[in-house]
Amino acid sequence: MLKGKHLLEPMDFSVEELDEIFDLAERIIEDPQKYKHVCDGKLLATLFFEPSTRTRLSFEAAMLRLGGQVLGFSEASSSSIAKGESIADTVRTVAAYADIIVMRHPKEGAPRIGSGFSDIPLVNAGDGGHQHPTQTLTDLLTIRYTKQSFNNLTIGVCGDLKFGRTVHSLIKAMSRYPGNRFCLISPEELVIPEYVRKEVLQKNNITFREVRRLEDAIADLDVLYMTRVQRERFFNEEDYIRLKDSYILDADKMKLAKEDMIVLHPLPRVNEIAVEVDQDSRALYFKQARYGMYVRMALMMKLLGADEGGVN
Ligand code: CP
């Protein structure tokens, strides 16, 4: 039963609960008209303390497509946080106005702190370099829709594995399914954090290898998850400039990949996927962004206790 729950990390929900969300998302994709009034009268509050295009707008589109309404802010400077108000007081106040809160914040753990002051569901929309659970729902729905399974996949994650929160969440989530293997492709300076290597991969006896060159791994992959180098998390602009173009997926590299490999990217992209790859049928990142809206529709319905007949 997901009604009333918060979503702070991908592991907050069991595999069975995630399946419920994906089943519902697929039903919505098949017949979106059927769901256009199921959240009539419900209000979503979006509290974004960091920039966003996809996450904020897909949540807002999702609620509007379910018949509900939205309110919120897209930068801290337009809220009373700018006057020194705490996260706790902000969340407590907004929880008195809305039915569900979505929060993005640059500080790791901020949504968790907020959730302690919310008597309505609060969803983490990305906290610093930590977690981004609804991006993981998006990624998993895209994999399920195209591969029809979460099992026995070789998943390459490429780019900024140190600061890329979507990668940390994806590895955690896909480690729960049997037979998956990971190929971690990054420069030495941007390797996966030790806690992911030890607490997720090694602890669960997941097969993984670390490589420096995308060309050395791409032929083995079923899923290639590209990420941008996260400029906003660097302390030093020189390091960012040195590392930002470490990997560029182009048409020549795609020739080395399997015919049914899929390319995912949480977006925004900077240079790491050449625009020419967009024409390749294996490039799914814009479809993935659309699936993100459907999976957020399903998630909010579950957290609000709504089904095809409306809110219960
Ligand atoms: N994937 C993602 O989180 O994109 P935004 O930063 O645009 O929300």
Side-chain angles (χ1 to χ4, degrees):
M1 184 73 170
L2 290 168
K3 185 177 176 181
K5 282 193 175 179
H6 304 304
L7 175 59
L8 302 171
E9 314 205 5
M11 308 300 260
D12 286 349
F13 294 170
S14 66
V15 167
E16 293 72 26
E17 287 170 330
L18 291 180
D19 279 342
E20 275 183 46
I21 293 171
F22 299 136
D23 289 344
L24 176 56
E26 289 187 5
R27 293 201 297 278
I28 295 171
I29 291 170
E30 299 306 318
D31 187 4
Q33 289 298 313
K34 192 169 162 189
Y35 297 85
K36 66 183 191 182
H37 291 298
V38 296
C39 284
D40 277 357
K42 292 294 170 188
L43 263 181
L44 161 69
T46 52
L47 313 186
F48 276 65
F49 299 93
E50 242 193 5
S52 167
T53 298
R54 274 145 295 272
T55 311
R56 186 170 65 84
L57 296 183
S58 65
F59 262 113
E60 294 189 1
M63 183 49 98
L64 293 170
R65 283 173 184 266
L66 294 170
Q69 292 178 291
V70 299
L71 73 170
F73 53 81
S74 56
E75 49 186 51
S77 61
S78 63
S79 76
S80 285
I81 292 277
K83 301 177 207 161
E85 188 169 39
S86 66
I87 295 282
D89 288 359
T90 303
V91 168
R92 195 176 276 172
T93 303
V94 175
Y97 305 148
D99 299 293
I100 182 165
I101 294 173
V102 175
M103 180 195 284
R104 171 172 287 189
H105 200 283
K107 286 212 177 110
E108 300 182 359
R112 183 172 294 284
I113 290 170
S115 70
F117 297 89
S118 177
D119 54 7
I120 62 173
L122 186 146
V123 177
N124 177 5
D127 59 328
H130 189 220
Q131 299 286 338
H132 192 348
T134 63
Q135 181 64 47
T136 307
L137 297 185
T138 301
D139 302 339
L140 265 59
L141 179 65
T142 311
I143 292 170
R144 180 169 129 152
Y145 217 68
T146 50
K147 294 282 180 195
Q148 278 81 48
S149 169
F150 289 134
N151 306 339
N152 303 315
L153 296 170
T154 301
I155 302 160
V157 289
C158 177
D160 184 349
L161 308 189
K162 180 178 180 184
F163 296 116
R165 59 192 172 198
T166 62
V167 169
H168 309 161
S169 295
L170 181 70
I171 292 175
K172 272 190 176 182
M174 290 304 286
S175 293
R176 294 208 280 191
Y177 299 96
N180 290 327
R181 300 160 296 277
F182 290 93
C183 190
L184 311 175
I185 309 154
S186 76
E188 183 73 41
E189 293 97 324
L190 297 177
V191 296
I192 203 84
E194 202 53 22
Y195 86 91
V196 178
R197 188 181 294 111
K198 285 209 169 118
E199 295 301 313
V200 183
L201 295 168
Q202 290 173 349
K203 194 170 169 183
N204 294 302
N205 293 317
I206 309 287
T207 303
F208 70 97
R209 65 184 179 119
E210 297 190 82
V211 302
R212 300 283 164 255
R213 281 167 31 98
L214 178 55
E215 297 87 322
D216 294 342
I218 194 166
D220 297 332
L221 306 178
D222 300 304
V223 178
L224 171 57
Y225 194 90
M226 295 295 294
T227 62
R228 80 187 158 91
V229 175
Q230 307 263 313
R231 181 181 206 156
E232 64 275 32
R233 317 258 177 246
F234 274 74
F235 294 112
N236 178 334
E237 182 73 3
E238 275 172 28
D239 286 347
Y240 168 72
I241 290 168
R242 187 168 47 81
L243 294 169
K244 72 184 173 70
D245 292 330
S246 298
Y247 302 100
I248 300 179
L249 179 65
D250 57 16
D252 281 342
K253 291 195 188 80
M254 288 297 286
K255 286 183 193 148
L256 305 173
K258 291 181 189 172
E259 277 181 18
D260 64 348
M261 184 192 80
I262 58 172
V263 183
L264 305 183
H265 191 310
L267 304 179
R269 131 179 89 180
V270 186
N271 278 334
E272 58 281 357
I273 302 181
V275 174
E276 64 193 16
V277 177
D278 299 357
Q279 312 307 322
D280 193 305
S281 60
R282 296 167 291 181
L284 294 192
Y285 26 92
F286 289 110
K287 240 183 211 173
Q288 183 185 355
R290 188 161 178 83
Y291 289 143
M293 178 184 70
Y294 290 122
V295 88
R296 289 175 175 114
M297 290 169 80
L299 172 68
M300 287 193 288
M301 282 182 65
K302 290 288 177 188
L303 299 184
L304 291 169
D307 60 21
E308 277 79 355
V311 176
N312 298 305

